[in-house]
């Protein structure tokens, strides 16, 4: 990997946090609560969200995986009679901030190691900024990032490149000095469009074959980034 990389922008869900271990059980509970225990309504919501109620997990083609919080609310609302999308969106945002977190790797030492090598670090998620900051704070790593943005932060949402370019501008670097790391095609499409290097990770729902055409490298998880970047970190 070229030594020109001076900053790393991470997606959150499926990248910093393992998607399935963080969101599957939480989402099943949310479906139960939003449907008020009505099995037929719950099944309709699950179908719209592409959530397998028997296995208790999202299917790989779920639009919620890489979508914004608003898109997730709209998706759930399609199966909920008389749904108030704004109310569902608020419910999801508040609840997501308290979701159980499964770190893809022990985040604090990993991020401290990257920062010690002089890398500038940021997070851009299609979740809300409120949820992102709450979750990163609960994981004890919020202060490791000098840029945290959600789809509602005023820069737009992935797969548009604008929020990624906002990070590059924030840290005063050219886009080609930034590495975008994510678990979905949305992440990598945005990275390519922004002119950044891209790394895919397999801690989300996508398979390597889904990410490879858009990535400079596909790794099992973010813990393999230092080796690919040529850094010797204790991770």
């Amino acid at each position: 990997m070229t030594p020109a990389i001076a900053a790393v922008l991470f997606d959150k869900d499926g990248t910093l946090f393992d998607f399935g271990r963080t969101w599957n059980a939480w989402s099943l509970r949310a479906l139960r609560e939003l449907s008020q225990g009505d099995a037929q309504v719950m099944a309709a919501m699950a179908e719209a969200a592409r959530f397998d109620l028997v296995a208790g997990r999202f299917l790989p083609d779920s639009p919620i995986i890489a979508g914004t919080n608003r898109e997730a609310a709209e998706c759930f609302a399609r199966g909920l009679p008389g749904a108030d999308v704004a109310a569902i969106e608020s419910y999801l945002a508040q609840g997501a901030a308290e979701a159980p977190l499964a770190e893809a790797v022990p985040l604090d030492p990993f991020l401290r190691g990257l920062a010690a090598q002089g890398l500038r670090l940021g997070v851009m998620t299609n979740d809300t900024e409120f949820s992102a900051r709450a979750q990163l704070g609960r994981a004890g790593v919020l202060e490791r990032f000098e840029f945290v943005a959600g789809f509602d932060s005023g820069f737009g949402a992935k797969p548009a490149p604008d929020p990624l370019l906002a990070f590059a501008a924030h840290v005063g670097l050219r886009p080609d000095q930034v590495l975008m790391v994510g678990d979905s095609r949305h992440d990598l499409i945005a990275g390519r469009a922004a002119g950044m290097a891209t790394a895919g990770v397999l801690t989300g729902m996508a398979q390597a074959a889904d990410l490879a055409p858009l990535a400079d490298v596909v790794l099992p998880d973010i813990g393999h980034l230092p080796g690919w970047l040529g850094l010797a970190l204790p991770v």
Side-chain angles (χ1 to χ4, degrees), residues 5 24 44 64 96-97 110 112 129 138 152 160 163 195 208-209 214 235:
I5 295 300
N24 283 340
I64 288 178
F110 170 74
R112 282 191 286 106
E129 182 177 336
R138 285 170 50 212
D152 56 352
L214 297 165
V235 296

Side-chain angles (χ1 to χ4, degrees), residues 1-99:
M1 182 60 200
T2 173
I5 295 300
V8 183
L9 182 61
F10 293 94
D11 171 55
K12 178 173 67 69
D13 300 316
T15 302
L16 295 175
F17 302 109
D18 182 280
F19 188 91
R21 291 189 293 131
T22 296
W23 293 110
N24 283 340
W26 182 90
S27 297
L28 181 59
R29 184 172 67 251
L31 283 167
R32 289 187 179 125
E33 291 179 357
L34 288 168
S35 66
Q36 298 184 329
D38 185 312
Q40 187 173 355
V41 172
M42 186 174 174
M45 293 178 68
E47 175 60 29
R50 300 295 293 149
F51 187 93
D52 185 333
L53 290 173
V54 176
R57 62 179 178 83
F58 282 101
L59 296 170
D61 62 349
S62 170
I64 288 178
I65 293 170
T68 66
N69 194 59
R70 179 72 178 190
E71 290 168 337
E74 292 170 343
C75 191
F76 281 132
R78 284 198 290 274
L80 186 61
D84 181 335
V85 174
I88 296 174
E89 183 179 16
S90 178
Y91 166 87
L92 294 176
Q94 294 292 330
E98 302 172 359

Side-chain angles (χ1 to χ4, degrees), residues 4-232:
I5 295 300
V8 183
L9 182 61
F10 293 94
D11 171 55
K12 178 173 67 69
D13 300 316
T15 302
L16 295 175
F17 302 109
D18 182 280
F19 188 91
R21 291 189 293 131
T22 296
W23 293 110
N24 283 340
W26 182 90
S27 297
L28 181 59
R29 184 172 67 251
L31 283 167
R32 289 187 179 125
E33 291 179 357
L34 288 168
S35 66
Q36 298 184 329
D38 185 312
Q40 187 173 355
V41 172
M42 186 174 174
M45 293 178 68
E47 175 60 29
R50 300 295 293 149
F51 187 93
D52 185 333
L53 290 173
V54 176
R57 62 179 178 83
F58 282 101
L59 296 170
D61 62 349
S62 170
I64 288 178
I65 293 170
T68 66
N69 194 59
R70 179 72 178 190
E71 290 168 337
E74 292 170 343
C75 191
F76 281 132
R78 284 198 290 274
L80 186 61
D84 181 335
V85 174
I88 296 174
E89 183 179 16
S90 178
Y91 166 87
L92 294 176
Q94 294 292 330
E98 302 172 359
L101 301 174
E103 298 178 12
V105 300
L107 289 177
D108 190 56
F110 170 74
L111 296 168
R112 282 191 286 106
L114 292 182
Q117 296 290 323
L119 291 171
R120 315 285 292 274
L121 305 177
V123 173
M124 197 286 133
T125 174
N126 275 356
D127 197 355
T128 65
E129 182 177 336
F130 171 82
S131 292
R133 290 186 175 276
Q135 291 166 353
L136 295 171
R138 285 170 50 212
V141 296
L142 178 59
E143 69 279 6
R144 303 295 172 206
F145 300 100
E146 53 188 293
F147 179 95
V148 177
F151 83 96
D152 56 352
S153 298
F155 308 116
K158 297 171 291 189
D162 305 82
L164 283 63
L165 294 172
F167 170 66
H170 182 82
V171 295
L173 294 170
R174 300 188 314 272
D176 63 1
Q177 294 176 287
V178 179
L179 173 66
M180 177 67 212
V181 184
D183 67 296
S184 75
R185 290 177 60 85
H186 271 34
D187 299 321
L188 305 181
I189 289 170
R192 285 278 198 246
M196 297 177 176
T198 54
V201 290
L202 300 178
T203 40
M205 299 299 293
Q207 302 297 312
D210 301 321
L211 304 179
L214 297 165
D216 295 305
V217 66
V218 177
L219 302 168
D221 57 53
I222 56 174
H224 291 75
L225 276 174
W228 184 68
L229 289 166
L231 306 175

